[in-house]
Amino acid sequence: MGNHNKEQSLTPSKNFILPFILLLLSRMSLHGYELIQKLQSLGFRTVDQGNLYRLLRKLEQDNLVCSEWETGGSGPAKRKYSITEAGIKYLEGYANQLESYQTMLDQFFKMYSSFLELYIPSFPKKDSIEKSSESKGRSINDSKE
Amino acid sequence: MGNHNKEQSLTPSKNFILPFILLLLSRMSLHGYELIQKLQSLGFRTVDQGNLYRLLRKLEQDNLVCSEWETGGSGPAKRKYSITEAGIKYLEGYANQLESYQTMLDQFFKMYSSFLELYIPSFPKKDSIEKSSESKGRSINDSKE
DNA sequence: GACTTATATGTGTAAAATACATATAGATGA
DNA sequence: TCATCTATATGTATTTTACACATATAAGTC
């Protein structure tokens, strides 16, 4: 079950980065290259170039995204990715799952904050922890895909 | 990158269930058996008995929890698990990571809600989605560990 | 013609998730 | 006493993920 002495890296990479990819593509068509940049600016620190392109191809095979070559710009041809109808459906399903996650996390922090009160009686009241969402723009994720 | 046609199972099992285990044990001592029940009531639908006991042993090896035999009750002796100091520290680290998760999720839903407005112009305004946390007690997680 | 940009694929390793089977042993009760 | 229940524990096999890094191709740019 893994070594609990080394740093925890809490990153269900594929599961976590995929919905963001679909979400981005649902709002704009992007080249793989742009997508990487967007993901990075969203907080995915390291995105492995090779694996991302591979994923995109897989998504296209599965008909969740589609692409067309875009020539004419500067540099070599770029593949412009868009989301498909199926991709949108899939994204919706993902959103439901993520919502469930959020619920679990809320549950966790609700318990955790009262846990803090147990161990650190002087701990500032609930709200500072319980809804720490919306918080500091920390960039966290170490997803490499 | 997995088959995108089958149902998504979005469950970083270990990473997700472990903080809950530590959290529960930080608030009360529990037998493995009770722990399973608690986890289930928290939304972890299926928790594999064998793997959970194995995990507990590992956590004890790593000194995040400790246990003592409890005889005298009904049935066979039970091992009563408690959290250790190190376990509490570890839980705190986990909480930080989960907080980051929450931030990412918030980010996702913020974007996602405006995505819905794009595709479904009549979609009810932001708040119903964006902070869907605290919501319905859905039981979601399929964690088997 | 070297260099940059963009896309793409190959390959390997380690860890994790998952799923079942099996074992042991005390307690309970017919 | 024998079957059953409860509780803990371990074995093991398969597949998927995560991660990392190397390499390839090809069109543009300077």
Side-chain angles (χ1 to χ4, degrees), chain B residues 9-25:
Chain B
S9 102
L10 185 59
T11 311
S13 201
K14 169 204 162 191
N15 285 333
F16 212 58
I17 206 171
L18 184 49
F20 280 92
I21 290 172
L22 293 177
L23 181 54
L24 284 168
L25 292 181

Side-chain angles (χ1 to χ4, degrees), chain A residues 49-67:
Chain A
Q49 170 264 110
N51 289 330
L52 182 72
Y53 281 116
R54 196 189 336 261
L55 174 56
L56 284 172
R57 308 246 74 203
K58 182 64 168 59
L59 293 176
E60 187 162 22
Q61 272 175 43
D62 292 350
N63 193 41
L64 300 183
V65 306
C66 58
S67 71

Side-chain angles (χ1 to χ4, degrees), chain A:
Chain A
M1 186 83 290
N3 179 0
H4 299 290
N5 301 311
K6 74 179 175 204
E7 251 336 83
Q8 319 102 298
S9 101
L10 185 59
T11 312
S13 201
K14 168 206 163 190
N15 286 333
F16 214 57
I17 206 171
L18 184 49
F20 279 93
I21 290 173
L22 293 177
L23 180 54
L24 285 168
L25 292 180
S26 75
R27 310 197 64 197
M28 57 194 106
S29 295
L30 291 169
H31 313 137
Y33 188 78
E34 293 172 317
L35 193 51
I36 290 174
Q37 294 174 339
K38 295 270 180 195
L39 287 171
Q40 284 173 340
S41 75
L42 275 177
F44 294 91
R45 266 190 270 162
T46 56
V47 180
D48 184 87
Q49 170 264 110
N51 289 330
L52 182 72
Y53 281 116
R54 196 189 336 261
L55 174 56
L56 284 172
R57 308 246 74 203
K58 182 64 168 59
L59 293 176
E60 187 162 22
Q61 272 175 43
D62 292 350
N63 193 41
L64 300 183
V65 306
C66 58
S67 71
E68 50 182 21
W69 284 106
E70 189 182 271
T71 54
S74 70
K78 308 165 207 302
R79 198 185 276 276
K80 199 172 94 181
Y81 280 99
S82 311
I83 200 166
T84 62
E85 278 301 317
I88 290 174
K89 283 270 176 294
Y90 197 79
L91 175 57
E92 285 168 5
Y94 242 121
N96 286 336
Q97 303 244 0
L98 290 180
E99 219 183 317
S100 307
Y101 257 178
Q102 219 178 24
T103 303
M104 298 280 280
L105 284 179
D106 287 341
Q107 220 172 359
F108 177 88
F109 281 111
K110 197 174 289 182
M111 289 181 65
Y112 185 70
S113 63
S114 61
F115 150 76
L116 282 179
E117 287 160 24
L118 274 180
Y119 282 80
I120 313 167
S122 67
F123 198 80
K125 274 301 156 238
K126 293 170 49 174
D127 304 283
S128 51
I129 289 291
E130 183 171 339
K131 268 290 68 198
S132 58
S133 312
E134 309 302 321
S135 50
K136 30 263 148 149
R138 270 198 256 95
S139 108
I140 334 96
N141 230 285
D142 259 83
S143 199
K144 299 288 174 15
E145 182 128 348

Side-chain angles (χ1 to χ4, degrees), chain B:
Chain B
M1 187 83 293
N3 179 0
H4 297 293
N5 301 312
K6 73 179 176 202
E7 251 334 84
Q8 319 101 298
S9 102
L10 185 59
T11 311
S13 201
K14 169 204 162 191
N15 285 333
F16 212 58
I17 206 171
L18 184 49
F20 280 92
I21 290 172
L22 293 177
L23 181 54
L24 284 168
L25 292 181
S26 76
R27 310 197 65 199
M28 56 194 107
S29 296
L30 291 169
H31 312 136
Y33 187 78
E34 293 172 317
L35 193 51
I36 290 175
Q37 294 174 340
K38 294 270 182 195
L39 288 171
Q40 285 173 339
S41 74
L42 275 176
F44 294 92
R45 265 191 270 163
T46 55
V47 179
D48 184 88
Q49 169 263 112
N51 289 330
L52 181 73
Y53 281 116
R54 198 191 332 265
L55 174 55
L56 285 172
R57 308 246 73 203
K58 183 63 167 58
L59 293 176
E60 186 162 22
Q61 271 175 45
D62 293 349
N63 192 40
L64 300 183
V65 305
C66 58
S67 69
E68 49 184 22
W69 284 104
E70 190 182 271
T71 54
S74 71
K78 308 164 207 306
R79 199 184 275 275
K80 198 172 94 182
Y81 280 99
S82 312
I83 200 167
T84 62
E85 277 301 315
I88 290 173
K89 284 269 177 293
Y90 197 79
L91 175 57
E92 285 168 6
Y94 244 122
N96 287 335
Q97 303 245 3
L98 290 180
E99 224 182 314
S100 307
Y101 256 179
Q102 219 178 23
T103 303
M104 297 283 279
L105 284 179
D106 287 341
Q107 216 172 0
F108 176 88
F109 282 111
K110 198 173 286 180
M111 291 180 65
Y112 185 69
S113 62
S114 61
F115 150 75
L116 283 179
E117 285 160 25
L118 275 180
Y119 282 80
I120 312 168
S122 67
F123 198 81
K125 276 298 156 241
K126 293 169 51 172
D127 304 281
S128 52
I129 289 292
E130 182 171 338
K131 269 285 74 205
S132 57
S133 312
E134 309 300 324
S135 48
K136 32 261 148 153
R138 268 198 259 97
S139 108
I140 335 94
N141 231 282
D142 260 85
S143 199
K144 300 291 174 14
E145 184 126 351

